[in-house]
Amino acid sequence: MTSPQIELYTAPTPNGYKVSIMLEELQVPYELHKIDFSKREQKEDWFLAMNPNGRIPSIKDKQNNLVLFESGAILVYLAEKYDLKLYGETPEERYTTLQWVMFQMGGIGPMQGQANVFYRYAPEKIPYAIERYQKETRRLYEVLETALKGKEYITGKYSIADIACYPWVVIHDWAGVSVEGLPNVQAWLDRIGNRPAVQRGLMSPPRADTTDQMRQGRSILI
């Protein structure tokens, strides 16, 4: 039996779960390597050789000896290689999907990440910073609310746009941001969270004792 072509180097974080969800949706076998942040494995030389930025996730495609980092780039690569339906079958569809992936990469991820830091981890509570990033995260959710009006998925069809956004939005409570008053977002969270591949992806790797909370949007992931 041959080993999987794809190796995934990741950890239980929203960015990491984007890629494990994608691989589960594609039903592509992969070899999981969990990176231990407590040991700062992501800063070790062997990992920096794959990703000089020292962040997860990274993948290695042994079929063509390609190593990739940045979750958005990985999603696009996997979709182009295995199933364009999750990206777009025409250039127009692909650019429409890509703009929402970029929306997550440049908006939801950084803003909610800072909300997490200042709300949960900062040694000094800075009300201005907490309020700023929570408000901006909520505003971005409201953009999603508008995008989802009359649609089940962000672009109208399930795609890497949904896969990119979901692992962040589902942990809104951890950033202290509410989705109350956003019925389209709430229904979308339920819809995505009920997908078997998403549930499997959120277990790869599992975070000890928080799997059920994670599925319900109450995870302590960062």
Side-chain angles (χ1 to χ4, degrees), residues 170-171 208-220:
V170 76
I171 60 166
D209 302 323
T210 62
T211 301
D212 290 337
Q213 293 177 356
M214 176 175 52
R215 289 176 176 170
Q216 298 170 31
R218 294 194 294 271
S219 173
I220 60 171

Side-chain angles (χ1 to χ4, degrees), residues 110-126 129-130 133 168 174-175 221-222:
M111 295 301 102
Q112 188 171 333
Q114 292 299 313
N116 289 343
V117 168
F118 285 105
Y119 184 60
R120 293 286 182 180
Y121 303 109
E124 176 187 356
K125 295 297 182 183
I126 305 173
I130 294 171
Y133 290 112
W168 281 96
W174 188 245
L221 304 176
I222 61 171

Side-chain angles (χ1 to χ4, degrees), residues 23 38 40 46 67 130 133 143 161 168-169 179-180 219 221:
L23 288 165
S38 69
R40 293 182 60 80
W46 68 269
V67 176
I130 294 171
Y133 290 112
V143 174
W168 281 96
V169 182
V179 293
E180 290 300 314
S219 173
L221 304 176

Side-chain angles (χ1 to χ4, degrees), residues 7 15 17 23 26-27 32 36 39 57 71 86 90 103 109 121 126 130 135 146 152 157 160 179 181 212 214 221:
E7 294 182 357
N15 286 335
Y17 285 133
L23 288 165
L26 293 168
Q27 299 183 27
L32 178 67
D36 190 336
K39 297 178 181 177
S71 57
L86 288 172
T90 67
F103 171 80
Y121 303 109
I126 305 173
I130 294 171
K135 280 187 173 181
T146 300
E152 291 190 346
K157 296 188 292 187
I160 59 174
V179 293
D212 290 337
M214 176 175 52
L221 304 176

